[in-house]
Amino acid sequence: MTGTTGVAVVGCGPTGLLLAGDLAEAGVPVTVLEKRPPGISNLTRAFALHARTLEQLDMRGLADELESLGHPMTRLGLFDGLTLDLSGLPTRFPHVLVIPQYEVERVLERRAREAGAEFVYEAEVTALTQDASGVTVLGRGMEPLRASYVVGADGMRSAVREAVGLPFPGRSVIRSVVLADVRLSEDPPDRLTAGTTGDAFALLIPFGDGYHRVVGWHRSHDVPDDAPLDLAEIRDIVRAALGRDYGMRDPRWLSRFHSDERQVPAYRVGRVFLAGDAAHVHSPAGGQGMNTGLQDAANLSWKLAAVLSGRADDSLLDTYDTERHPVGRTVLRSSGALIRLAMANHPWTRALRSALTTLVTHVPALRRKALHQVTGLAYSYGPGLTGKRAPDIPLPGNTRLYEALRGGNFVLLTQVPYEGVDRPHLTTSEWAGPRTLLIRPDGHIAWTAKSPSPTALEQALLDHVGSSVHPT
């Protein structure tokens, strides 16, 4: 017997969980398929939420809870003494939040469950077949499932990507990166401690539960991912990069992996979409992996909800690829440049790194560009104002724009009272700005005009928000 759902989300990591929660809150039937048993592991790689991701989570009423579970850092160290000061960012979250991935998953899973998402564990997807009306998902440990759309958020070795026949071109950029969670007998000088020599680099980040995450690499330890790893090797790498190991002991997790730079040529194949690591992977430099996946989900979820409710045409879903694919490509390039500079061991590459450090440190425009790119605040989906990130504007009634966006709403900011027809998924608010703005559910500007006529405004609302009534 074949079950049915609106959207099948394959993968129970942060990307899939945010997407499932958004869809369920919008009233879309959603089923999450996960090949692992139930339960959230604390042995996870990602450890940071950047400003734009925190803004997206604020639009869902989750950011303050996550802030209480993590540790904000206003300075982000890279290499050669290059430190980015985040405290001046134009956002409610002028920092990077150090928080284990498992805490993010726990909060996102709870939200998705409370909104009505279904979870099927130990379900390993093996095949997809799609036609004009939907997708049939087949797998081990599950009944066949029929969905209007499928989203593969199932990681670098995505079964969904393989099932639709998409290549994953790219290459390994660095081998034998080591990860460990350890206790330290001595406190490092900074909350985030980083260092590089060209032959080695290491990063220490506190989790707040007595353990520190260690990320390390040494040029001489170029071995396969399955090669044995022990605490002695971790200590050697950290001493080579930082000068001391701070009394590392009691590891609860040790892992070795290689870092690839890969991206699929398209994020959509018919009724199937890819998001997060299933669509793009890159080096861990800058801590952008989990953040990019969460922002993929924020872009796609409201579009799926609009199409499935009948408020938008299926062509809206094409914009997921046109908007997010260039962002993924940019993250690949920027994180790749960071890791290559950190690994630099030739005189000319070290000189380049030193020159870049000097430029970013002393040229405000370059420093601002680097800050906004790493934190995700820089990305825009269109020319001019259209597609730009909307800042969290204060609104009448002691509220904010990002609060008004909760629930997957569009928000219309007008200079005069709006007297048009009522529309589901539209909140209106007067404001004193110079232009009328229509803000998308993901916090980007959908449309803007200076003193638009009532006819022009109604047409814009029809184009972007849809009709005033739901279809029967």
Side-chain angles (χ1 to χ4, degrees):
M1 182 176 180
T2 301
T4 60
T5 191
V7 178
V9 176
V10 184
C12 199
T15 300
L17 290 171
L18 181 70
L19 184 70
D22 284 2
L23 292 169
E25 281 195 344
V28 174
V30 57
T31 301
V32 181
L33 304 173
E34 171 56 54
K35 67 179 181 181
R36 298 175 301 177
I40 293 174
S41 170
N42 67 349
L43 308 181
T44 49
R45 291 180 179 174
F47 53 81
L49 293 175
H50 282 299
R52 185 54 179 165
T53 307
L54 287 165
E55 290 184 341
Q56 293 288 352
L57 293 165
D58 192 21
M59 297 172 203
R60 292 153 177 82
L62 302 174
D64 289 344
E65 178 181 359
L66 289 165
E67 288 268 289
S68 73
L69 298 170
H71 299 272
M73 296 194 320
T74 58
R75 300 179 70 81
L76 184 62
L78 296 175
F79 44 72
D80 277 359
L82 175 59
T83 299
L84 299 179
D85 183 356
L86 311 179
S87 61
L89 288 172
T91 173
R92 186 169 173 247
F93 307 100
H95 51 258
V96 58
L97 185 70
V98 175
I99 183 171
Q101 179 179 325
Y102 59 79
E103 292 286 14
V104 179
E105 291 181 354
R106 181 179 62 79
V107 171
L108 291 175
E109 181 179 323
R110 185 196 67 217
R111 170 186 179 243
R113 287 186 180 279
E114 290 175 350
E118 287 191 36
F119 286 78
V120 181
Y121 291 97
E122 299 180 87
E124 184 177 357
V125 172
T126 57
L128 303 173
T129 59
Q130 59 175 312
D131 53 42
S133 62
V135 188
T136 300
V137 186
L138 304 174
R140 287 185 284 269
M142 57 175 284
E143 297 294 326
L145 181 65
R146 182 72 173 172
S148 297
Y149 296 97
V150 171
V151 181
D154 51 340
M156 178 179 175
R157 297 174 179 83
S158 171
V160 173
R161 187 183 65 239
E162 182 176 342
V164 296
L166 277 176
F168 205 30
R171 60 175 180 164
S172 293
V173 61
I174 181 172
R175 283 167 48 100
S176 201
V177 178
V178 298
L179 298 178
D181 289 353
V182 301
R183 292 187 183 276
L184 300 181
S185 299
E186 307 168 36
D187 291 332
D190 301 306
R191 182 169 291 279
L192 186 151
T193 303
T196 179
T197 64
D199 286 328
F201 67 75
L203 177 68
L204 303 179
I205 309 140
F207 273 157
D209 60 357
Y211 281 86
H212 276 66
R213 165 60 53 85
V214 182
V215 183
W217 171 83
H218 198 289
R219 196 176 301 278
S220 67
H221 294 275
D222 187 5
V223 297
D225 292 354
D226 58 359
L229 176 65
D230 57 24
L231 186 59
E233 181 178 337
I234 302 284
R235 287 193 184 111
D236 288 344
I237 292 172
V238 172
R239 282 197 293 264
L242 302 179
R244 59 194 307 175
D245 65 21
Y246 299 97
M248 290 182 183
R249 56 186 172 83
D250 303 332
R252 67 181 178 189
W253 183 47
L254 300 170
S255 177
R256 193 192 305 273
F257 74 101
H258 67 278
S259 178
D260 285 2
E261 291 176 342
R262 301 183 184 276
Q263 186 179 29
V264 290
Y267 286 9
R268 180 184 189 184
V269 177
R271 290 177 170 268
V272 179
F273 302 84
L274 296 173
D277 286 354
H280 47 77
V281 293
H282 47 81
S283 90
Q288 299 173 82
M290 176 169 62
N291 291 271
T292 307
L294 288 169
Q295 291 166 40
D296 287 346
N299 182 284
L300 179 58
S301 61
W302 69 269
K303 297 173 181 178
L304 283 168
V307 170
L308 286 167
S309 70
R311 292 181 288 113
D313 184 78
D314 178 87
S315 61
L316 174 66
L317 299 174
D318 290 334
T319 66
Y320 169 62
D321 178 84
T322 58
E323 292 180 348
R324 291 303 299 171
H325 196 279
V327 172
R329 184 170 60 248
T330 299
V331 172
L332 255 71
R333 290 172 177 171
S334 63
S335 63
L338 286 175
I339 200 70
R340 286 173 174 82
L341 288 170
M343 294 164 56
N345 69 331
H346 296 297
W348 72 268
T349 52
R350 290 190 179 186
L352 175 63
R353 186 174 70 189
S354 179
L356 180 64
T357 298
T358 300
L359 283 171
V360 173
T361 301
H362 296 288
V363 179
L366 287 177
R367 186 167 62 251
R368 184 167 55 252
K369 181 177 180 180
L371 276 168
H372 284 222
Q373 184 160 308
V374 169
T375 60
L377 297 178
Y379 295 115
S380 176
Y381 297 142
L385 285 176
T386 303
K388 284 193 178 298
R389 159 190 170 268
D392 192 14
I393 302 165
L395 300 178
N398 196 31
T399 188
R400 303 178 282 112
L401 172 61
Y402 291 176
E403 292 175 320
L405 288 167
R406 292 175 185 174
N409 291 321
F410 281 80
V411 174
L412 176 66
L413 302 177
T414 68
Q415 300 115 323
V416 297
Y418 172 66
E419 298 178 353
V421 296
D422 290 333
R423 279 183 168 83
H425 306 288
L426 177 66
T427 298
T428 64
S429 178
E430 292 183 52
W431 80 306
R435 303 178 68 88
T436 295
L437 298 174
L438 179 63
I439 312 300
R440 304 177 351 176
D442 60 357
H444 287 260
I445 298 171
W447 175 84
T448 180
K450 190 171 184 178
S451 303
S453 69
T455 300
L457 178 54
E458 284 300 327
Q459 186 61 52
L461 294 175
L462 183 63
D463 291 343
H464 292 281
V465 185
S467 62
S468 58
V469 295
H470 289 296
T472 57

